[in-house]
Amino acid sequence: MLCREVPEALQTLGIDALLCDQMEAAGGLVAEDAGLLYISVACALPVNREPGIPLPVMPMAYGQGLRFSRMYDGSERVYDAVTRPLRRVIADNANAFGLSPRDGLHDCLSPYAQISQTVPGFELPRRALPAHFHHVGPLRAPASPQDELDFPVMEDQPLVFASLGTLQGHRFRVFKRIARACRRLDAKLLLAHCGGLSAAQARSLEREGATWVTDFAPQRAALARADVAVTHGGLNTVMDALSARTPMLVLPIAFDQPGVATRVVHAGVGLRASPTFASSRALARKLNDLLNGSRYIAPLDRLGLEVDAAGGAQPPPTSSSESLPRVGRPGGWAAYDNAALRSDPGGWRPGQWPDCAASQARAAVASPADAGARCPPRRQSHLVVSR
């Protein structure tokens, strides 16, 4: 649908650039067809493929050597077979637009800028990310002063904060095993189900061992006070836990959560367990390790500092003679004539991106506050987000 409807909308609205979620292939396809600047944003784990790196959706530990390489290659073949209908749609639309062949989400990423809300230290040892890929840290608003933890938690009591996110908050049986595990350890449990449970289920969890059961809690405040976080492995929660220096027990359920769990374990900032098969006794053992293990402190501090220091990519040096690569159809935005543009400052047209605007776009990635200072705008510009 997007490949059918968006091109006309881009022309009608005079769109000059797009921010495209990596998980939406149509963003890159329609941008290249229109010859527009676009930036790929990895809100989840990046889908960029690389030999020796397991796909984010695969529940595999990270390792090196022939055995692991074969396992990752085999899992990619399985994934590609399962997603064949999606790959066919992507290929058909790329062909309809007259673009080069595409075979999946990883073939629809921007050649100009790709940004991820992870930090380099949290990633597996990648060696083939493009030069225009930037780890910029969490993409979120600053914490509000009103976001305080309104629960009577004593400082000398161990506190476990458990949340499975908005899409998995209905997992009553998983929450019950978490509550029983905390009761085994005599640990306080703050459980946020994000509106996924009924009042009767919430009361049942309190009988099973949860100290407080609520729909929503101020997550960053809860993580800052918690001694351990139990999470499904949502990237937002994990980045917040790193910033709070809180070790994690990850119970990956869907999407990129297995890959997040793999990175948590590889980075030494937590453990993983099966949301389906781990018993309350097994969860209690892992929680006890996290509550009392000193080996998590240094990795958490290192990655926490990295998350706290994140906030954009370093802008590359620019010059008036800089040119940018051409993609999409001939006559796209990268095909402008610098000299002609400078002789006719008012001659900028949609689909063209002059030097100062390219610098402005890079500044927006590096430091949004400085972006407008790079050069005066020629006219009103429009940006569309595809997600």
Side-chain angles (χ1 to χ4, degrees), residues 292-383:
N292 298 291
S294 61
R295 68 181 184 276
Y296 304 104
I297 296 175
L300 281 167
D301 192 51
R302 174 177 54 82
L303 281 182
L305 288 171
E306 197 171 340
V307 171
D308 293 343
Q314 292 298 316
T318 59
S319 68
S320 60
S321 62
E322 179 184 20
S323 61
L324 295 169
R326 181 196 303 263
V327 298
R329 294 190 179 282
W333 70 272
Y336 65 85
D337 182 335
N338 270 334
L341 189 62
R342 284 193 291 272
S343 66
D344 178 17
W348 178 48
R349 300 289 184 270
Q352 295 177 329
W353 200 265
D355 284 333
C356 70
S359 177
Q360 205 170 30
R362 292 189 185 89
V365 174
S367 177
D370 295 337
R374 295 302 178 99
C375 62
R378 298 183 186 275
R379 66 170 182 82
Q380 182 66 38
S381 296
H382 300 281
L383 181 73

